[in-house]
Amino acid sequence: QVQVVESGGGSVQAGGSLRLSCTVSNSFGNVAYMAWYRQAPGNERELVASITSGGSTNYVDSVKARFTISMDNAKWTMYLHMNTLEPEDTGVYYCYSQVDVRGTRYNYWGQGTQVTVSS
């Protein structure tokens, strides 16, 4: 079975920092790709940052200079270090993972963690 556990959300003032964590526990495959998505009320869910097991990363333009994504392959734990947070960063952040099983990828989502940034 696969279990996705997120943590690190909270409320901060603009300019503050948070670190989100997501651990994917599985016993049948390798986590090949992980990503953070976020969604604000009334808005579509958007991709914020992603990382592969090989360390390749991508960021949405609005967070490139402020967020850092990383992954600990030994524990299948993904982190999102968020610095200089802005009110526009407010939303529910979701952990997404793709587990590779003999070349086939299966998708798993976390329940989401709330990030609120006040001006």
Side-chain angles (χ1 to χ4, degrees):
Q1 293 184 336
V2 174
Q3 183 179 23
V4 180
V5 180
E6 302 162 322
S7 64
S11 299
V12 299
Q13 293 184 332
S17 300
L18 287 172
R19 187 188 74 167
L20 305 183
S21 300
C22 175
T23 297
V24 180
S25 301
N26 83 93
S27 60
F28 60 90
N30 296 316
V31 179
Y33 172 91
M34 298 186 72
W36 287 101
Y37 287 75
R38 69 185 177 191
Q39 185 172 22
N43 295 330
E44 296 183 346
R45 186 175 300 184
E46 67 171 347
L47 176 64
V48 178
S50 65
I51 187 169
T52 69
S53 60
S56 297
T57 60
N58 284 290
Y59 301 88
V60 68
D61 287 344
S62 61
V63 309
K64 281 184 177 179
R66 301 181 295 116
F67 292 8
T68 301
I69 190 171
S70 62
M71 180 164 63
D72 183 345
N73 289 2
K75 301 186 295 183
W76 302 121
T77 299
M78 175 179 63
Y79 304 95
L80 185 65
H81 298 262
M82 304 186 294
N83 299 313
T84 319
L85 284 162
E86 304 170 350
E88 291 75 18
D89 296 318
T90 294
V92 179
Y93 284 67
Y94 296 91
C95 175
Y96 171 81
S97 65
Q98 291 183 342
V99 179
D100 189 294
V101 181
R102 299 185 301 277
T104 300
R105 293 189 176 185
Y106 299 86
N107 306 315
Y108 298 94
W109 288 92
Q111 294 184 358
T113 183
Q114 177 70 44
V115 172
T116 302
V117 184
S118 60
S119 60

